[in-house]
Amino acid sequence: ISADWRFAPRDVLTIGLSEAYYEEWGMNRRFDVALGTNPVVIARDHVQGRPGAGSTTSRGGGMSIKASTTWQSELKWTHHGPVWKFEAGSSFSHASFNVRSTNFMGSVPFNIGTFAASGVGRVGPTVRFDYTGDYLPIITTVLATGESVNPRGLQHTALTSATQLDRRSVDIKKNLRGFAQRTVDFVVPVTVKVGGDIRQSQRDKRQRAPNYTFLGPDGIANSLDNAASLYGLVDPLYSTVTPPYGNPKFEWGDQYKVYDMIVARPEWWVRNVATEINSEVANSAYLDETISSGFLRLDTSVFNNRLAIATGIRYQRYEVSVESGEQNTLARYLHDDDGAFVLNPTTGQPIVIGGSATDIATRTQTERGNQREMTVSGFHPSINASYRLTENLYVRTNIASSINYPELNQLFAATTISDLTANPRRLTVNKPLEPWTGKNYDLSLEYYTQNGGSLSLAWFRKDISNFIRQRTANSGTTEAREALGRLGYEELVPFNYEVVERFNQGEARLSGWEFALDQRLDRYAPEWARGTRIFFNTSYKAAPKGIAGGDLGAFSQRLMNWGVSFRRGPFSTHLKWNHVAQRKLTVFNPATTRPGSRTLLDVDVSHQFHPKVSFFASASNVMGKQRVSYVFTDKTPDYARARQYQYYGVAIVAGVKGQF
């Protein structure tokens, strides 16, 4: 709902209020096959997992109900007088998002295998893939008994665990803004604009994930009575659905039946409180971010309006307060009054404090134990100029200082210290990332044809300071020891901890160019093709300089778009091809997943069958192209380079829109 109130000839007050509610019941089914750590390559196109090496197949998935409510209010006042122009406004929005599983379990895995001869413990099957070059290879599953079984059935699976989910988050955004503008005469007329705004974002998120381990009637996990076939857990409805990609039908577990079993037979299950504590701490966070700014802008033109200049300066202040989970496994060990480890005099190792898994989780996990605050402020000037060389040829330039804020999820700090018995021993530190600043330089040449077309060639460069980086200091090195001391963990130096940290440091340079062509064809096309327009643009971003090859964005990228549009009377259509070439890494890393090149076609169509009512339809990826990701070295054969195939189909939106 929106309303305008004109309470004076040049003053308008706008009041707006909107609300939206969304709810979805969602389910995904997943079939996983793992060949263990040492698969055997039998032949070029045949791979087999060794018995006892962790080979397994499992069926599972997730079920949840998603619900969200969003409402927003806005108030705006504008004044357009002969001398002064004013605008002031404020807005407030509240959004909540909940994901939950109520009378069903959110996740239940079913794993194929056989039980050990003792009746306790399970042995995974041997799994073989034939024709791995195909999208859907032949899968053969052989139990430890030598029996070949259907990997897509539940007959030889075990019920091991089940998890519920209750995830809640709230986002609140507030904004207050305003400006004043008038034109004054100095040597030439200058338009002066002064204003500012205050933006605040708050996010509060929590998650509970009750987790249960199945013991069965005998009260022992992974024993004979854990066989899923004993309890009639097949989903009779969904198991009749034919899966995509040519897969045969699966037997899927029923997550409603598992929930009913937990309610009816709670003594058959044990709740993993320690796992729940760990999950709650890791997924509980609060953030409060405030950005305050003020600006002064001056616009003028000289040389008979051939040269237009816009310049100004902006002051911005960035304040953020973050609370997030603390995971400190060092609390498992005995410390003296000074906070140092108490060592075993015989082994020289720290003494472990006893206790149950729940006791350990309570000591080592602190909900919102990390609390950080940060303030960054500064001035950011800019100047834009456009010079008309001829009636159709323009040159434009821009020099500006900018500040770029991290994503909200990059502000949730976390420190994780692995146990002294872990391999590798690792300290992971993710500090709240600060904004990074950039100095931007742009230069473009633009030509406008007499018959409604344009050509442009642009060059850009961005010099970045306080760049976001990630670094790993390998255990036992000088760099790792220095990092442990700098981060306040000197006590870990004798135990050779590896340090992984993400931080702001150093400088980087991005550069590239863009070319664009846009042309109407009315002067060249026959009568029936009038209203046709073609376009083409391409850009190239060079690999950044001054950063490590493993840092984010350390690759070069080429993008291309082209297409054609047609508009005649009430009918219009638009065809756009988008080509993304494969990225070229600055430093080759055979473990890096790289998306392959792809060309996608999008189509838009609309028809206005009434002056105020029209029909529209748009389709993305109308050719149904799949996205393929690759991991390979120069010696990897072509058939083994693909890591993942993603097929999203064709996304279509259609409807009727009108103005009343």
Side-chain angles (χ1 to χ4, degrees):
I1 301 174
S2 180
D4 290 343
W5 176 36
R6 185 176 296 276
F7 59 89
R10 297 185 176 90
D11 296 87
V12 178
L13 183 67
T14 302
I15 302 174
L17 178 66
S18 63
E19 183 174 5
Y21 176 76
Y22 165 83
E23 184 168 326
E24 171 191 282
W25 179 86
M27 174 173 62
N28 70 76
R29 298 293 193 181
R30 189 176 67 250
F31 175 58
D32 297 324
V33 182
L35 296 184
T37 56
N38 298 300
V40 178
V41 179
I42 301 172
R44 163 181 164 155
D45 217 13
H46 308 275
V47 182
Q48 178 173 299
R50 294 177 180 173
S55 303
T56 183
T57 63
S58 68
R59 246 156 321 321
M63 291 175 59
S64 63
I65 295 175
K66 301 177 183 179
S68 64
T69 302
T70 302
W71 65 271
Q72 177 175 336
S73 60
E74 184 173 10
L75 180 67
K76 184 174 71 172
W77 167 66
T78 58
H79 169 84
H80 290 275
V83 178
W84 286 97
K85 292 183 180 179
F86 298 101
E87 183 175 307
S90 65
S91 62
F92 178 90
S93 67
H94 181 284
S96 62
F97 181 72
N98 302 319
V99 181
R100 65 188 188 276
S101 54
T102 50
N103 59 336
F104 55 87
M105 301 308 294
S107 174
V108 182
F110 293 86
N111 297 308
I112 288 184
T114 53
F115 293 96
S118 63
V120 178
R122 290 185 301 109
V123 181
T126 300
V127 181
R128 170 170 169 158
F129 283 92
D130 289 296
Y131 310 112
T132 56
D134 297 336
Y135 300 146
L136 188 65
I138 296 176
I139 304 174
T140 305
T141 305
V142 180
L143 302 179
T145 59
E147 179 185 1
S148 180
V149 298
N150 175 17
R152 296 173 174 83
L154 288 181
Q155 181 63 30
H156 299 278
T157 63
L159 178 61
T160 58
S161 63
T163 305
Q164 281 187 291
L165 180 62
D166 185 1
R167 180 187 303 153
R168 303 172 185 270
S169 65
V170 174
D171 281 79
I172 297 175
K173 295 185 182 295
K174 307 172 186 177
N175 175 260
L176 180 65
R177 63 194 183 278
F179 74 83
Q181 175 182 316
R182 69 166 294 175
T183 300
V184 296
D185 287 323
F186 291 114
V187 179
V188 293
V190 177
T191 299
V192 181
K193 186 175 182 180
V194 61
D197 63 34
I198 300 176
R199 291 171 285 165
Q200 183 183 34
S201 298
Q202 295 173 303
R203 174 171 294 181
D204 190 337
K205 65 174 187 176
R206 298 179 185 271
Q207 174 176 305
R208 293 182 63 254
N211 179 268
Y212 301 84
T213 296
F214 184 58
L215 304 179
D218 65 0
I220 302 174
N222 284 324
S223 60
L224 291 172
D225 65 353
N226 291 168
S229 58
L230 298 176
Y231 306 101
L233 299 177
V234 175
D235 183 338
L237 178 62
Y238 202 76
S239 297
T240 62
V241 176
T242 301
Y245 312 119
N247 269 295
K249 293 180 180 179
F250 290 82
E251 278 190 334
W252 298 106
D254 191 320
Q255 286 154 255
Y256 286 92
K257 292 181 179 179
V258 175
Y259 175 85
D260 293 339
M261 183 193 298
I262 294 175
V263 173
R265 295 287 188 176
E267 69 276 11
W268 290 1
W269 300 79
V270 60
R271 189 162 175 175
N272 303 317
V273 179
T275 302
E276 294 179 28
I277 293 174
N278 295 340
S279 175
E280 287 184 32
V281 171
N283 293 282
S284 176
Y286 176 78
L287 178 143
D288 189 335
E289 178 190 61
T290 302
I291 303 173
S292 309
S293 66
F295 68 88
L296 171 67
R297 173 174 169 171
L298 306 175
D299 293 8
T300 189
S301 60
V302 294
F303 305 140
N304 294 324
N305 294 327
R306 295 178 69 91
L307 175 62
I309 300 174
T311 185
I313 188 168
R314 172 181 288 269
Y315 170 80
Q316 292 197 191
R317 178 181 174 87
Y318 178 77
E319 301 173 89
V320 64
S321 175
V322 182
E323 299 176 10
S324 54
E326 181 183 36
Q327 305 176 48
N328 184 0
T329 55
L330 299 183
R332 292 192 59 189
Y333 299 90
L334 188 63
H335 291 72
D336 60 22
D337 293 338
D338 296 326
F341 285 128
V342 176
L343 303 181
N344 186 311
T346 303
T347 64
Q349 295 294 313
I351 298 174
V352 179
I353 303 174
S356 65
T358 302
D359 294 335
I360 294 172
T362 303
R363 286 200 306 270
T364 60
Q365 308 286 324
T366 305
E367 186 175 6
R368 303 191 178 182
N370 273 322
Q371 299 181 4
R372 311 280 180 92
E373 294 183 354
M374 177 175 55
T375 300
V376 178
S377 61
F379 291 91
H380 304 279
S382 66
I383 182 169
N384 295 268
S386 172
Y387 187 75
R388 178 163 46 88
L389 298 172
T390 68
E391 289 299 318
N392 303 91
L393 185 62
Y394 290 77
V395 60
R396 306 182 193 275
T397 185
N398 169 58
I399 301 174
S401 171
S402 63
I403 184 169
N404 298 267
Y405 303 106
E407 299 290 336
L408 292 184
N409 59 2
Q410 295 177 324
L411 294 172
F412 292 123
T415 299
T416 304
I417 310 170
S418 65
D419 197 296
L420 286 167
T421 60
N423 185 22
R425 298 171 180 173
R426 179 173 295 161
L427 167 66
T428 302
V429 179
N430 290 320
K431 300 178 181 178
L433 296 176
E434 300 176 4
W436 54 267
T437 58
K439 294 181 179 179
N440 309 289
Y441 308 92
D442 296 272
L443 179 65
S444 65
L445 191 65
E446 302 174 4
Y447 179 75
Y448 298 89
T449 64
Q450 298 289 347
N451 49 6
S454 65
L455 284 166
S456 65
L457 179 64
W459 169 87
F460 64 88
R461 192 180 93 184
K462 181 188 292 287
D463 293 333
I464 299 173
S465 300
N466 212 30
F467 189 71
I468 297 174
R469 299 189 61 187
Q470 180 168 309
R471 176 175 60 192
T472 299
N474 294 324
S475 179
T477 63
T478 302
E479 291 80 4
R481 290 192 289 271
E482 180 275 329
L484 288 171
R486 171 170 45 81
L487 295 169
Y489 295 95
E490 295 89 346
E491 60 183 339
L492 298 180
V493 171
F495 304 100
N496 289 336
Y497 265 75
E498 182 178 78
V499 180
V500 180
E501 56 179 331
R502 200 172 190 190
F503 56 97
N504 294 86
Q505 187 187 75
E507 299 181 349
R509 172 173 293 178
L510 303 173
S511 61
W513 53 264
E514 300 174 349
F515 172 77
L517 165 68
D518 192 323
Q519 179 63 57
R520 293 175 57 184
L521 301 182
D522 289 0
R523 292 186 58 182
Y524 314 104
E527 178 64 28
W528 59 268
R530 299 292 172 85
T532 302
R533 177 185 291 270
I534 60 172
F535 69 91
F536 171 83
N537 60 73
T538 181
S539 64
Y540 174 77
K541 180 185 73 68
K545 297 180 180 179
I547 64 174
D551 288 332
L552 183 66
F555 56 84
S556 61
Q557 183 72 70
R558 177 74 178 270
L559 302 175
M560 296 177 63
N561 296 281
W562 65 92
V564 58
S565 64
F566 176 79
R567 179 181 296 275
R568 175 70 67 84
F571 176 79
S572 67
T573 184
H574 185 98
L575 285 77
K576 178 182 177 181
W577 285 263
N578 172 263
H579 175 74
V580 180
Q582 190 177 86
R583 298 172 178 176
K584 295 183 179 179
L585 300 177
T586 303
V587 177
F588 178 75
N589 184 351
T592 300
T593 301
R594 282 168 281 172
S597 63
R598 63 182 187 271
T599 303
L600 307 179
L601 171 61
D602 300 337
V603 178
D604 298 323
V605 177
S606 67
H607 186 272
Q608 189 168 3
F609 52 85
H610 184 274
K612 293 186 177 182
V613 182
S614 62
F615 166 82
F616 70 93
S618 64
S620 301
N621 189 23
V622 296
M623 304 304 293
K625 296 288 187 178
Q626 62 187 358
R627 299 182 182 183
V628 187
S629 299
Y630 299 89
V631 177
F632 61 89
T633 68
D634 293 339
K635 297 181 180 179
T636 306
D638 291 341
Y639 69 86
R641 295 190 173 197
R643 179 183 184 274
Q644 183 180 54
Y645 295 92
Q646 294 175 298
Y647 179 72
Y648 297 100
V650 182
I652 301 175
V653 177
V656 176
K657 58 183 178 181
Q659 297 177 340
F660 303 96

